[in-house]
């Protein structure tokens, strides 16, 4: 066993050179940055801070300048958790975070295309959230989730992201099913400290890291019926201290 490999290769041909003067996000030891677009001011596109909001983008595109968040839904001091949130049906591109959902139990993000952001779709601290039927491509990270127990990630596609396609961190009882992660610069699927999850029916082909990677602290997960072909490292890899997985 060995630790998560440092220094993932950057995918050739993206043509997006991060601007060192625009820090946007820090994922582990890796600073993730994006290039601002001249003539467009930085900032958030749409902010949601109320309960029972369905944001249907109507097939339209939100375009950013390399910073901020396209759709930001987060609890506030007056309303610390968002209930009944739905974000759906549109494209978000050119932001720091394409869609960011924080402190929103049961939220659903569906039918969204996130392209050319630092993080395509981010969900944190939102128990029971669903991320379904989305597409992320050309971001630094595709889908990034953290501390969201009973999360369901299903039917998504993550292709051509510079690092990992789908990240699941610190999740208990999650379902990761029927997703596709191809041609990403890191792992197709990266699970860290995730327990009791079902990882099934996914496809991970042609990634520069592992197809599916269960890293430290990922215990008691069921991994079955997945396809991993032509990845530069392992198809499916389970590290030391990731025990009891079947």
């Amino acid at each position: 066993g060995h630790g998560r490999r440092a220094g993932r290769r950057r995918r050739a041909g993206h043509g997006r050179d991060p601007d060192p003067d625009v820090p946007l996000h820090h994922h582990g030891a890796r600073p993730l940055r994006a290039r601002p677009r001249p003539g467009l001011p930085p900032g958030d596109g749409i902010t949601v801070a109320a309960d029972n909001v369905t944001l249907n983008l109507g097939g339209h595109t939100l375009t950013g300048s390399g910073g901020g968040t396209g759709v930001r839904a987060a609890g506030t001091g007056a309303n610390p958790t968002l209930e009944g949130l739905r974000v759906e049906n549109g494209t978000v591109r050119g932001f720091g975070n394409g869609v960011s959902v924080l402190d929103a139990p049961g939220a659903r993000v569906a039918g969204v295309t996130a392209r050319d952001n630092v993080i395509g779709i981010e969900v944190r601290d939102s128990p029971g959230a669903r991320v379904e039927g989305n597409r992320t491509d050309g971001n630094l990270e595709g889908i990034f989730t953290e501390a969201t127990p009973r999360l369901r990630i299903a039917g998504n596609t993550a292709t051509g992201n510079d690092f990992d396609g789908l990240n699941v961190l610190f999740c208990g009882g999650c379902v990761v099913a029927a997703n596709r992660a191809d041609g990403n610069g890191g792992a197709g699927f990266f699970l860290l400290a995730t327990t009791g999850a079902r990882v099934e029916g996914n496809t991970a082909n042609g990634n520069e890291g592992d197809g599916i990677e269960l890293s430290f602290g990922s215990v008691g997960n069921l991994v079955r019926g997945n396809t991993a072909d032509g990845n530069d490292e392992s198809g499916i890899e389970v590290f030391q201290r990731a025990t009891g997985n079947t």
Side-chain angles (χ1 to χ4, degrees):
H2 45 277
R4 180 155 164 77
R5 298 168 179 82
R8 294 288 196 202
R9 293 184 299 281
R10 186 175 172 82
R11 297 191 79 245
H14 267 274
R16 186 172 66 247
D17 297 321
D19 188 322
D21 297 324
V22 187
L24 291 174
H25 184 75
H26 195 275
H27 174 41
R30 303 182 306 212
L32 304 183
R33 307 165 188 269
R35 176 187 295 278
R37 300 186 180 187
L40 293 175
D44 295 342
I46 297 172
T47 299
V48 178
D51 290 340
N52 300 314
V53 171
T54 295
L55 177 59
N56 188 325
L57 297 172
H60 296 293
T61 298
L62 293 177
T63 301
S65 60
T69 299
V71 175
R72 175 181 172 81
T76 64
N79 187 25
T81 59
L82 298 186
E83 303 288 344
L85 174 70
R86 303 290 183 268
V87 180
E88 58 193 30
N89 187 29
T91 297
V92 184
R93 65 182 304 165
F95 289 92
N97 291 336
V99 175
S100 182
V101 174
L102 312 173
D103 300 308
R108 184 171 188 252
V109 180
V112 171
T113 296
R115 180 174 292 134
D116 298 330
N117 306 285
V118 174
I119 296 178
I121 296 171
E122 172 190 41
V123 178
R124 299 177 190 258
D125 300 303
S126 299
R130 292 177 292 161
V131 181
E132 298 173 324
N134 304 286
R135 180 178 182 87
T136 60
D137 58 76
N139 307 284
L140 294 192
E141 298 275 5
I143 295 173
F144 185 92
T145 69
E146 185 173 17
T148 297
R150 304 181 309 283
L151 169 72
R152 179 176 175 83
I153 304 179
N156 302 284
T157 300
T159 57
N161 300 288
D162 283 10
F163 293 114
D164 301 325
L166 291 91
N167 295 267
V168 181
L169 281 63
F170 304 102
C171 182
C174 295
V175 174
V176 182
N179 303 283
R180 186 172 197 103
D182 295 343
N184 298 289
F189 298 81
F190 175 63
L191 284 71
L192 173 70
T194 291
T195 59
R198 287 193 293 117
V199 182
E200 56 187 356
N202 301 287
T203 300
N205 294 336
N207 299 288
E208 295 191 14
D210 298 318
I212 299 172
E213 179 176 329
L214 277 68
S215 195
F216 299 115
S218 292
V219 175
N221 301 291
L222 174 64
V223 182
R224 66 182 178 187
N226 302 285
T227 300
D229 184 56
N231 300 286
D232 285 5
E233 297 180 10
S234 300
I236 298 174
E237 181 152 10
V238 180
F239 286 93
Q240 285 184 349
R241 290 184 282 169
T243 60
N245 299 287
T246 58

